Amino acid sequence: MAKKNGNNKKYKILFAASEAVPFIKTGGLGDVCGALPKILKKMGHDVRLVLPRYWSINKEKYGLKPILGPMGVPTGNGVMWCQILEGRSDGFPVYFIEHESYFGRAGLYDDGNWEFGDNPERFGFFSRACLQLCQDLKFQPDIIHCHDWQTALVAPYLKIWERRNPFFAETASVFSIHNIAYQGTFRADAYGFLGLGRDNFTDAKFENFGGINFMKGAIYYADAITTVSPTYAREILGEPGANGLSIYIQRRKDDLYGILNGADYDHWDPEIDPLIAKNYSPQDISGKKACKAALQKEFLLDPKENVPIVGIISRFAEQKGFQHLAIVMHRILRDMAVQFAILGSGDKSQEDFFGGLPALYPGRVGAWIGHHNQKAHTIEAGADFFLMPSLYEPCGLNQIYSLKYGTLPIARATGGLKDTIIQYEEKTGFGTGFLYDQGTPSAVYDTVGWAVSTYYDRPHHMELMRRRAMIQHFSWLDSAQQYEEVYRKAILRRQTWQ
Ligand code: ADP
Ligand code: GLC
């Protein structure tokens, strides 16, 4: 884990991201890329964020204004043009790269079924545009912080294309891996457009089974690499955690740091949350009852005070492990007196399965298929338990939010779940959640059973755990201080880069 910044230096930082709240979010990446710049700005750094201007980002709503005039972006196929819009978020500037044919469509990375075929061009262009924007703005960053495959190429572009550009002579790159399963692997014929140079199409850099791998390039070229929890940093040094990239990560292990995500408690705190039925705090949890009733009403569940509710909010993707829950769901509902409130979208067969449960179990299962922020808050506040059967989880934010809402997580002990949840001890009532090791359907069944029996048989333990959970604090300030230290090290590393 990185230590805190000792020298108190203020940096100029460009965040290059493909999503960030409040503008656009498909998952935790959006939460992090909204919250981390905000706290760094508060700490006195000059932070700026660049996002693509997707069709769904409303210019009027966010008061986005064109700046600079048309901007030419060099690509392997010549110069392409875009427009820059400027907005603000929590006191720092946010720039939007507008290029209608790439970003003026519904969907960020796919059309709901298939990934967009031109993703390498879209995000290659975006990454190049981030560097061009710095120059046109005359903003000479100390650090460019890029995230996941979508902006991974910023790091190699700095070292390849901009190698001899004095403007970037002192700019270091930090690459954050939020999920190593999505590496940005594409067909080789996009390589020419990216303009990364034939010499670099090698196994150590961009080549991947004959195609291109964006993340591999960033792992090679970034001055520092971070990932979103200490446990996940260890997991990606080996397989299967690294999805085939462990040998490349190992080569950079001295520059790898695991920094746990924080939670943005401005938005996720039951004491002040305006989206829930009644506010409550660790000192007075009584409002949680009204939140449970509101959840039951909204999800058409029987209005029973003394039946536990298991909440779920998730992308339905293999990573999240709901295929295991699906296998044991009927058994759970047959054997246990429990209700479920489910909010999710993604995999079509899981959408059909979970979306079909309320018809089979009226009053016991409520499900809403889609993305809905207010319903997410309603579940966090109203449920008794929060289920995350993830096969792997780099950090996970929902369990962190759940702890704050006194909604005890039931989760597999992997990645950030392991780093944030304290295992329940049946003898003493210690702990903040229910963890299991094996990624199997029967482990999901058993652990849900363990939580439900604790609810009925050891209510005093539930009480203790709730309070303990609610006072856990995963502050962005702590994490941001660790990022400051990584920035310092990245700048040093940049100076010795061969
Ligand atoms: P991941 O990024 O892998 O999906 P995280 O736990 O890091 O997982 O973050 C997920 C974020 O997306 C959380 O803020 C969660 O509340 C939100 N989220 C996921 N699915 C939905 C949904 N269907 N509706 C509303 N919010 C959702
Ligand atoms: C990814 C991971 C998730 C993490 C999030 C934010 O989406 O799947 O575990 O919390 O990024 O870092």
Side-chain angles (χ1 to χ4, degrees), residues 26-33 147-148 177-180 182 227-229 232 259 261 315 319-320 388 390 392-400 416-417 476 483:
T26 66
L29 176 65
D31 287 319
V32 173
C33 294
H147 300 264
D148 272 353
I177 299 175
H178 296 260
N179 193 335
I180 207 166
Y182 302 93
T227 189
V228 289
S229 70
Y232 195 60
I259 303 177
N261 287 332
R315 287 187 292 120
Q319 163 195 359
K320 302 294 175 180
M388 292 180 76
S390 306
Y392 70 91
E393 195 62 73
C395 178
L397 293 170
N398 272 122
Q399 83 283 9
I400 299 181
L417 298 172
W476 263 119
Y483 277 106

mmCIF file of all heavy atoms in Angstrom, residues 26-33 147-148 177-180 182 227-229 232 259 261 315 319-320 388 390 392-400 416-417 476 483, ligand 2:
data_model
loop_
_atom_site.group_PDB
_atom_site.id
_atom_site.type_symbol
_atom_site.label_atom_id
_atom_site.label_comp_id
_atom_site.label_asym_id
_atom_site.label_seq_id
_atom_site.Cartn_x
_atom_site.Cartn_y
_atom_site.Cartn_z
ATOM 1 N N THR A 26 -21.701 4.051 -15.848
ATOM 2 C CA THR A 26 -22.257 2.708 -16.031
ATOM 3 C C THR A 26 -21.911 1.826 -14.841
ATOM 4 O O THR A 26 -22.481 0.760 -14.680
ATOM 5 C CB THR A 26 -21.735 2.016 -17.314
ATOM 6 O OG1 THR A 26 -20.326 1.790 -17.164
ATOM 7 C CG2 THR A 26 -21.995 2.847 -18.554
ATOM 8 N N GLY A 27 -20.941 2.233 -14.021
ATOM 9 C CA GLY A 27 -20.543 1.407 -12.872
ATOM 10 C C GLY A 27 -19.612 2.189 -11.962
ATOM 11 O O GLY A 27 -19.551 3.433 -12.022
ATOM 12 N N GLY A 28 -18.871 1.447 -11.136
ATOM 13 C CA GLY A 28 -18.023 2.072 -10.132
ATOM 14 C C GLY A 28 -16.946 2.983 -10.709
ATOM 15 O O GLY A 28 -16.522 3.940 -10.056
ATOM 16 N N LEU A 29 -16.509 2.705 -11.936
ATOM 17 C CA LEU A 29 -15.518 3.570 -12.590
ATOM 18 C C LEU A 29 -16.025 5.021 -12.603
ATOM 19 O O LEU A 29 -15.264 5.962 -12.330
ATOM 20 C CB LEU A 29 -15.269 3.066 -14.024
ATOM 21 C CG LEU A 29 -14.338 3.893 -14.898
ATOM 22 C CD1 LEU A 29 -12.922 3.886 -14.349
ATOM 23 C CD2 LEU A 29 -14.343 3.355 -16.339
ATOM 24 N N GLY A 30 -17.296 5.178 -12.912
ATOM 25 C CA GLY A 30 -17.901 6.510 -12.950
ATOM 26 C C GLY A 30 -17.937 7.159 -11.573
ATOM 27 O O GLY A 30 -17.710 8.370 -11.437
ATOM 28 N N ASP A 31 -18.207 6.376 -10.551
ATOM 29 C CA ASP A 31 -18.202 6.911 -9.182
ATOM 30 C C ASP A 31 -16.809 7.428 -8.827
ATOM 31 O O ASP A 31 -16.642 8.521 -8.300
ATOM 32 C CB ASP A 31 -18.580 5.817 -8.163
ATOM 33 C CG ASP A 31 -20.061 5.464 -8.204
ATOM 34 O OD1 ASP A 31 -20.882 6.372 -8.327
ATOM 35 O OD2 ASP A 31 -20.392 4.269 -8.098
ATOM 36 N N VAL A 32 -15.798 6.603 -9.116
ATOM 37 C CA VAL A 32 -14.423 6.947 -8.728
ATOM 38 C C VAL A 32 -13.932 8.174 -9.500
ATOM 39 O O VAL A 32 -13.342 9.094 -8.918
ATOM 40 C CB VAL A 32 -13.477 5.746 -8.981
ATOM 41 C CG1 VAL A 32 -12.023 6.133 -8.755
ATOM 42 C CG2 VAL A 32 -13.864 4.578 -8.081
ATOM 43 N N CYS A 33 -14.190 8.208 -10.810
ATOM 44 C CA CYS A 33 -13.660 9.313 -11.619
ATOM 45 C C CYS A 33 -14.420 10.615 -11.377
ATOM 46 O O CYS A 33 -13.981 11.678 -11.810
ATOM 47 C CB CYS A 33 -13.646 8.942 -13.102
ATOM 48 S SG CYS A 33 -12.478 7.605 -13.408
ATOM 49 N N HIS A 147 -7.518 5.655 -16.831
ATOM 50 C CA HIS A 147 -8.297 4.627 -16.148
ATOM 51 C C HIS A 147 -8.800 3.555 -17.109
ATOM 52 O O HIS A 147 -9.521 3.862 -18.061
ATOM 53 C CB HIS A 147 -9.513 5.285 -15.468
ATOM 54 C CG HIS A 147 -9.118 6.318 -14.471
ATOM 55 N ND1 HIS A 147 -9.020 6.046 -13.129
ATOM 56 C CD2 HIS A 147 -8.745 7.619 -14.620
ATOM 57 C CE1 HIS A 147 -8.618 7.138 -12.491
ATOM 58 N NE2 HIS A 147 -8.451 8.104 -13.375
ATOM 59 N N ASP A 148 -8.442 2.318 -16.796
ATOM 60 C CA ASP A 148 -8.944 1.159 -17.544
ATOM 61 C C ASP A 148 -8.617 1.254 -19.042
ATOM 62 O O ASP A 148 -7.975 2.186 -19.500
ATOM 63 C CB ASP A 148 -10.450 0.971 -17.305
ATOM 64 C CG ASP A 148 -10.709 0.103 -16.058
ATOM 65 O OD1 ASP A 148 -9.743 -0.435 -15.488
ATOM 66 O OD2 ASP A 148 -11.879 -0.041 -15.677
ATOM 67 N N ILE A 177 -6.003 0.444 -12.821
ATOM 68 C CA ILE A 177 -6.749 -0.726 -13.291
ATOM 69 C C ILE A 177 -7.953 -0.924 -12.380
ATOM 70 O O ILE A 177 -7.808 -1.240 -11.204
ATOM 71 C CB ILE A 177 -5.848 -1.983 -13.264
ATOM 72 C CG1 ILE A 177 -4.639 -1.787 -14.177
ATOM 73 C CG2 ILE A 177 -6.653 -3.230 -13.638
ATOM 74 C CD1 ILE A 177 -3.628 -2.931 -14.120
ATOM 75 N N HIS A 178 -9.127 -0.730 -12.936
ATOM 76 C CA HIS A 178 -10.344 -0.945 -12.151
ATOM 77 C C HIS A 178 -10.862 -2.359 -12.363
ATOM 78 O O HIS A 178 -11.598 -2.874 -11.536
ATOM 79 C CB HIS A 178 -11.414 0.077 -12.532
ATOM 80 C CG HIS A 178 -11.030 1.484 -12.214
ATOM 81 N ND1 HIS A 178 -11.484 2.144 -11.096
ATOM 82 C CD2 HIS A 178 -10.173 2.343 -12.830
ATOM 83 C CE1 HIS A 178 -10.941 3.356 -11.046
ATOM 84 N NE2 HIS A 178 -10.146 3.499 -12.099
ATOM 85 N N ASN A 179 -10.510 -2.935 -13.488
ATOM 86 C CA ASN A 179 -10.978 -4.293 -13.762
ATOM 87 C C ASN A 179 -10.119 -4.880 -14.879
ATOM 88 O O ASN A 179 -10.239 -4.483 -16.035
ATOM 89 C CB ASN A 179 -12.447 -4.245 -14.190
ATOM 90 C CG ASN A 179 -13.064 -5.624 -14.181
ATOM 91 O OD1 ASN A 179 -12.361 -6.623 -14.322
ATOM 92 N ND2 ASN A 179 -14.377 -5.681 -14.025
ATOM 93 N N ILE A 180 -9.279 -5.836 -14.523
ATOM 94 C CA ILE A 180 -8.319 -6.345 -15.509
ATOM 95 C C ILE A 180 -8.962 -7.352 -16.479
ATOM 96 O O ILE A 180 -8.332 -7.782 -17.445
ATOM 97 C CB ILE A 180 -7.076 -6.938 -14.807
ATOM 98 C CG1 ILE A 180 -5.844 -6.848 -15.729
ATOM 99 C CG2 ILE A 180 -7.334 -8.367 -14.342
ATOM 100 C CD1 ILE A 180 -4.533 -7.084 -15.020
ATOM 101 N N TYR A 182 -11.384 -6.576 -18.428
ATOM 102 C CA TYR A 182 -11.707 -5.820 -19.640
ATOM 103 C C TYR A 182 -10.425 -5.125 -20.093
ATOM 104 O O TYR A 182 -10.062 -4.084 -19.562
ATOM 105 C CB TYR A 182 -12.803 -4.797 -19.365
ATOM 106 C CG TYR A 182 -14.088 -5.409 -18.826
ATOM 107 C CD1 TYR A 182 -14.320 -5.511 -17.456
ATOM 108 C CD2 TYR A 182 -15.074 -5.882 -19.689
ATOM 109 C CE1 TYR A 182 -15.493 -6.069 -16.966
ATOM 110 C CE2 TYR A 182 -16.253 -6.443 -19.208
ATOM 111 C CZ TYR A 182 -16.451 -6.539 -17.842
ATOM 112 O OH TYR A 182 -17.616 -7.086 -17.353
ATOM 113 N N THR A 227 -4.151 -0.120 -8.623
ATOM 114 C CA THR A 227 -5.426 -0.797 -8.725
ATOM 115 C C THR A 227 -6.194 -0.526 -7.450
ATOM 116 O O THR A 227 -5.672 0.092 -6.523
ATOM 117 C CB THR A 227 -5.277 -2.292 -9.048
ATOM 118 O OG1 THR A 227 -6.585 -2.798 -9.319
ATOM 119 C CG2 THR A 227 -4.644 -3.065 -7.908
ATOM 120 N N VAL A 228 -7.473 -0.958 -7.415
ATOM 121 C CA VAL A 228 -8.410 -0.324 -6.494
ATOM 122 C C VAL A 228 -8.591 -1.011 -5.137
ATOM 123 O O VAL A 228 -9.496 -0.642 -4.398
ATOM 124 C CB VAL A 228 -9.764 -0.071 -7.205
ATOM 125 C CG1 VAL A 228 -9.618 1.041 -8.228
ATOM 126 C CG2 VAL A 228 -10.282 -1.345 -7.868
ATOM 127 N N SER A 229 -7.735 -1.971 -4.816
ATOM 128 C CA SER A 229 -7.676 -2.475 -3.438
ATOM 129 C C SER A 229 -6.360 -3.218 -3.261
ATOM 130 O O SER A 229 -5.804 -3.750 -4.227
ATOM 131 C CB SER A 229 -8.853 -3.403 -3.111
ATOM 132 O OG SER A 229 -8.732 -4.621 -3.808
ATOM 133 N N TYR A 232 -6.688 -6.909 -4.404
ATOM 134 C CA TYR A 232 -6.717 -7.083 -5.862
ATOM 135 C C TYR A 232 -5.317 -6.867 -6.451
ATOM 136 O O TYR A 232 -4.939 -7.538 -7.412
ATOM 137 C CB TYR A 232 -7.733 -6.123 -6.487
ATOM 138 C CG TYR A 232 -8.095 -6.452 -7.922
ATOM 139 C CD1 TYR A 232 -8.666 -7.683 -8.250
ATOM 140 C CD2 TYR A 232 -7.883 -5.539 -8.950
ATOM 141 C CE1 TYR A 232 -9.008 -7.989 -9.568
ATOM 142 C CE2 TYR A 232 -8.228 -5.831 -10.265
ATOM 143 C CZ TYR A 232 -8.789 -7.058 -10.568
ATOM 144 O OH TYR A 232 -9.133 -7.368 -11.864
ATOM 145 N N ILE A 259 -4.688 0.750 -3.914
ATOM 146 C CA ILE A 259 -5.299 1.808 -3.074
ATOM 147 C C ILE A 259 -6.816 1.607 -3.091
ATOM 148 O O ILE A 259 -7.441 1.662 -4.151
ATOM 149 C CB ILE A 259 -4.964 3.221 -3.615
ATOM 150 C CG1 ILE A 259 -3.441 3.415 -3.695
ATOM 151 C CG2 ILE A 259 -5.611 4.286 -2.741
ATOM 152 C CD1 ILE A 259 -3.018 4.756 -4.286
ATOM 153 N N ASN A 261 -10.656 2.174 -2.971
ATOM 154 C CA ASN A 261 -11.553 3.286 -3.282
ATOM 155 C C ASN A 261 -12.199 3.798 -2.002
ATOM 156 O O ASN A 261 -12.415 3.037 -1.054
ATOM 157 C CB ASN A 261 -12.691 2.824 -4.196
ATOM 158 C CG ASN A 261 -12.224 2.562 -5.615
ATOM 159 O OD1 ASN A 261 -11.259 3.162 -6.083
ATOM 160 N ND2 ASN A 261 -12.913 1.664 -6.305
ATOM 161 N N ARG A 315 -24.579 -4.796 -11.929
ATOM 162 C CA ARG A 315 -24.506 -5.183 -13.329
ATOM 163 C C ARG A 315 -24.648 -6.686 -13.329
ATOM 164 O O ARG A 315 -24.069 -7.363 -12.473
ATOM 165 C CB ARG A 315 -23.113 -4.868 -13.908
ATOM 166 C CG ARG A 315 -22.808 -3.425 -14.143
ATOM 167 C CD ARG A 315 -21.482 -3.246 -14.867
ATOM 168 N NE ARG A 315 -20.333 -3.627 -14.073
ATOM 169 C CZ ARG A 315 -19.457 -4.566 -14.392
ATOM 170 N NH1 ARG A 315 -19.601 -5.267 -15.502
ATOM 171 N NH2 ARG A 315 -18.432 -4.849 -13.617
ATOM 172 N N GLN A 319 -18.651 -11.727 -13.773
ATOM 173 C CA GLN A 319 -17.860 -11.321 -12.600
ATOM 174 C C GLN A 319 -18.686 -11.277 -11.313
ATOM 175 O O GLN A 319 -18.205 -11.626 -10.239
ATOM 176 C CB GLN A 319 -17.291 -9.924 -12.879
ATOM 177 C CG GLN A 319 -16.809 -9.177 -11.665
ATOM 178 C CD GLN A 319 -16.581 -7.676 -11.918
ATOM 179 O OE1 GLN A 319 -16.769 -7.195 -13.028
ATOM 180 N NE2 GLN A 319 -16.187 -6.957 -10.902
ATOM 181 N N LYS A 320 -19.932 -10.859 -11.421
ATOM 182 C CA LYS A 320 -20.743 -10.581 -10.235
ATOM 183 C C LYS A 320 -21.332 -11.840 -9.609
ATOM 184 O O LYS A 320 -21.872 -11.806 -8.505
ATOM 185 C CB LYS A 320 -21.843 -9.572 -10.575
ATOM 186 C CG LYS A 320 -21.299 -8.252 -11.111
ATOM 187 C CD LYS A 320 -20.510 -7.491 -10.048
ATOM 188 C CE LYS A 320 -19.874 -6.232 -10.626
ATOM 189 N NZ LYS A 320 -19.107 -5.472 -9.624
ATOM 190 N N MET A 388 -23.472 -9.823 -2.521
ATOM 191 C CA MET A 388 -22.489 -9.672 -3.614
ATOM 192 C C MET A 388 -21.718 -10.980 -3.785
ATOM 193 O O MET A 388 -20.638 -11.144 -3.209
ATOM 194 C CB MET A 388 -21.517 -8.529 -3.307
ATOM 195 C CG MET A 388 -22.184 -7.164 -3.339
ATOM 196 S SD MET A 388 -21.056 -5.794 -2.992
ATOM 197 C CE MET A 388 -20.140 -5.634 -4.511
ATOM 198 N N SER A 390 -19.706 -12.082 -5.854
ATOM 199 C CA SER A 390 -18.733 -11.857 -6.933
ATOM 200 C C SER A 390 -17.689 -12.966 -7.040
ATOM 201 O O SER A 390 -17.135 -13.409 -6.038
ATOM 202 C CB SER A 390 -17.998 -10.542 -6.699
ATOM 203 O OG SER A 390 -18.894 -9.480 -6.543
ATOM 204 N N TYR A 392 -14.902 -12.356 -8.685
ATOM 205 C CA TYR A 392 -13.789 -11.485 -8.305
ATOM 206 C C TYR A 392 -14.357 -10.082 -8.188
ATOM 207 O O TYR A 392 -15.412 -9.781 -8.774
ATOM 208 C CB TYR A 392 -12.639 -11.552 -9.323
ATOM 209 C CG TYR A 392 -12.961 -10.929 -10.646
ATOM 210 C CD1 TYR A 392 -12.676 -9.596 -10.890
ATOM 211 C CD2 TYR A 392 -13.591 -11.662 -11.658
ATOM 212 C CE1 TYR A 392 -13.001 -9.009 -12.101
ATOM 213 C CE2 TYR A 392 -13.909 -11.087 -12.865
ATOM 214 C CZ TYR A 392 -13.620 -9.760 -13.085
ATOM 215 O OH TYR A 392 -13.951 -9.162 -14.275
ATOM 216 N N GLU A 393 -13.708 -9.236 -7.424
ATOM 217 C CA GLU A 393 -14.207 -7.868 -7.243
ATOM 218 C C GLU A 393 -13.036 -6.952 -6.934
ATOM 219 O O GLU A 393 -12.538 -6.917 -5.812
ATOM 220 C CB GLU A 393 -15.230 -7.825 -6.106
ATOM 221 C CG GLU A 393 -16.060 -6.554 -6.061
ATOM 222 C CD GLU A 393 -16.906 -6.382 -7.318
ATOM 223 O OE1 GLU A 393 -17.906 -7.108 -7.472
ATOM 224 O OE2 GLU A 393 -16.537 -5.528 -8.162
ATOM 225 N N PRO A 394 -12.560 -6.197 -7.939
ATOM 226 C CA PRO A 394 -11.394 -5.346 -7.729
ATOM 227 C C PRO A 394 -11.520 -4.465 -6.478
ATOM 228 O O PRO A 394 -10.623 -4.415 -5.657
ATOM 229 C CB PRO A 394 -11.336 -4.524 -9.012
ATOM 230 C CG PRO A 394 -11.947 -5.436 -10.046
ATOM 231 C CD PRO A 394 -13.022 -6.202 -9.342
ATOM 232 N N CYS A 395 -12.642 -3.773 -6.360
ATOM 233 C CA CYS A 395 -12.909 -3.076 -5.096
ATOM 234 C C CYS A 395 -14.347 -3.342 -4.694
ATOM 235 O O CYS A 395 -14.620 -3.979 -3.691
ATOM 236 C CB CYS A 395 -12.668 -1.565 -5.214
ATOM 237 S SG CYS A 395 -13.074 -0.742 -3.657
ATOM 238 N N GLY A 396 -15.280 -2.854 -5.511
ATOM 239 C CA GLY A 396 -16.692 -2.951 -5.138
ATOM 240 C C GLY A 396 -17.040 -1.734 -4.307
ATOM 241 O O GLY A 396 -16.346 -1.414 -3.344
ATOM 242 N N LEU A 397 -18.097 -1.049 -4.712
ATOM 243 C CA LEU A 397 -18.509 0.133 -3.942
ATOM 244 C C LEU A 397 -19.775 -0.142 -3.152
ATOM 245 O O LEU A 397 -19.980 0.393 -2.077
ATOM 246 C CB LEU A 397 -18.731 1.301 -4.903
ATOM 247 C CG LEU A 397 -17.444 1.791 -5.573
ATOM 248 C CD1 LEU A 397 -17.745 2.772 -6.684
ATOM 249 C CD2 LEU A 397 -16.520 2.426 -4.542
ATOM 250 N N ASN A 398 -20.617 -1.018 -3.699
ATOM 251 C CA ASN A 398 -21.899 -1.207 -3.048
ATOM 252 C C ASN A 398 -21.807 -1.772 -1.631
ATOM 253 O O ASN A 398 -22.610 -1.429 -0.775
ATOM 254 C CB ASN A 398 -22.810 -2.088 -3.899
ATOM 255 C CG ASN A 398 -23.588 -1.237 -4.865
ATOM 256 O OD1 ASN A 398 -23.525 -1.419 -6.063
ATOM 257 N ND2 ASN A 398 -24.311 -0.271 -4.322
ATOM 258 N N GLN A 399 -20.808 -2.620 -1.387
ATOM 259 C CA GLN A 399 -20.676 -3.123 -0.016
ATOM 260 C C GLN A 399 -20.231 -2.013 0.918
ATOM 261 O O GLN A 399 -20.606 -1.986 2.095
ATOM 262 C CB GLN A 399 -19.713 -4.326 0.041
ATOM 263 C CG GLN A 399 -18.235 -4.013 0.116
ATOM 264 C CD GLN A 399 -17.644 -3.584 -1.228
ATOM 265 O OE1 GLN A 399 -18.355 -3.351 -2.199
ATOM 266 N NE2 GLN A 399 -16.335 -3.482 -1.289
ATOM 267 N N ILE A 400 -19.463 -1.048 0.380
ATOM 268 C CA ILE A 400 -19.010 0.086 1.205
ATOM 269 C C ILE A 400 -20.217 0.974 1.538
ATOM 270 O O ILE A 400 -20.404 1.400 2.673
ATOM 271 C CB ILE A 400 -17.895 0.880 0.482
ATOM 272 C CG1 ILE A 400 -16.679 -0.038 0.221
ATOM 273 C CG2 ILE A 400 -17.481 2.085 1.295
ATOM 274 C CD1 ILE A 400 -15.495 0.642 -0.459
ATOM 275 N N GLY A 416 -11.582 -6.335 -3.115
ATOM 276 C CA GLY A 416 -11.957 -5.274 -2.184
ATOM 277 C C GLY A 416 -13.019 -5.705 -1.178
ATOM 278 O O GLY A 416 -13.166 -5.066 -0.129
ATOM 279 N N LEU A 417 -13.766 -6.757 -1.499
ATOM 280 C CA LEU A 417 -14.777 -7.232 -0.535
ATOM 281 C C LEU A 417 -14.066 -7.712 0.723
ATOM 282 O O LEU A 417 -14.488 -7.462 1.848
ATOM 283 C CB LEU A 417 -15.620 -8.348 -1.154
ATOM 284 C CG LEU A 417 -16.443 -7.945 -2.388
ATOM 285 C CD1 LEU A 417 -17.098 -9.157 -3.040
ATOM 286 C CD2 LEU A 417 -17.516 -6.930 -2.000
ATOM 287 N N TRP A 476 -12.455 9.121 1.111
ATOM 288 C CA TRP A 476 -11.665 9.423 -0.079
ATOM 289 C C TRP A 476 -10.409 10.196 0.286
ATOM 290 O O TRP A 476 -9.415 10.156 -0.442
ATOM 291 C CB TRP A 476 -12.502 10.209 -1.098
ATOM 292 C CG TRP A 476 -13.091 9.330 -2.145
ATOM 293 C CD1 TRP A 476 -14.411 9.145 -2.417
ATOM 294 C CD2 TRP A 476 -12.368 8.503 -3.080
ATOM 295 N NE1 TRP A 476 -14.550 8.257 -3.454
ATOM 296 C CE2 TRP A 476 -13.324 7.853 -3.880
ATOM 297 C CE3 TRP A 476 -11.026 8.245 -3.313
ATOM 298 C CZ2 TRP A 476 -12.973 6.966 -4.894
ATOM 299 C CZ3 TRP A 476 -10.664 7.353 -4.326
ATOM 300 C CH2 TRP A 476 -11.637 6.739 -5.100
ATOM 301 N N TYR A 483 -2.832 8.460 -3.249
ATOM 302 C CA TYR A 483 -2.603 8.797 -4.671
ATOM 303 C C TYR A 483 -1.555 9.903 -4.798
ATOM 304 O O TYR A 483 -0.717 9.870 -5.705
ATOM 305 C CB TYR A 483 -3.912 9.211 -5.358
ATOM 306 C CG TYR A 483 -4.732 8.019 -5.821
ATOM 307 C CD1 TYR A 483 -5.883 7.644 -5.157
ATOM 308 C CD2 TYR A 483 -4.324 7.249 -6.913
ATOM 309 C CE1 TYR A 483 -6.628 6.533 -5.561
ATOM 310 C CE2 TYR A 483 -5.057 6.147 -7.329
ATOM 311 C CZ TYR A 483 -6.210 5.795 -6.643
ATOM 312 O OH TYR A 483 -6.933 4.698 -7.045
HETATM 313 C C1 GLC B 2 -14.661 -1.813 -11.560
HETATM 314 C C2 GLC B 2 -14.692 -2.981 -10.596
HETATM 315 C C3 GLC B 2 -15.228 -2.628 -9.229
HETATM 316 C C4 GLC B 2 -14.628 -1.314 -8.737
HETATM 317 C C5 GLC B 2 -14.867 -0.235 -9.766
HETATM 318 C C6 GLC B 2 -14.314 1.122 -9.350
HETATM 319 O O1 GLC B 2 -15.875 -1.599 -12.172
HETATM 320 O O2 GLC B 2 -15.431 -4.053 -11.135
HETATM 321 O O3 GLC B 2 -14.926 -3.663 -8.309
HETATM 322 O O4 GLC B 2 -15.221 -0.948 -7.508
HETATM 323 O O5 GLC B 2 -14.236 -0.584 -10.969
HETATM 324 O O6 GLC B 2 -12.935 1.091 -9.102
#
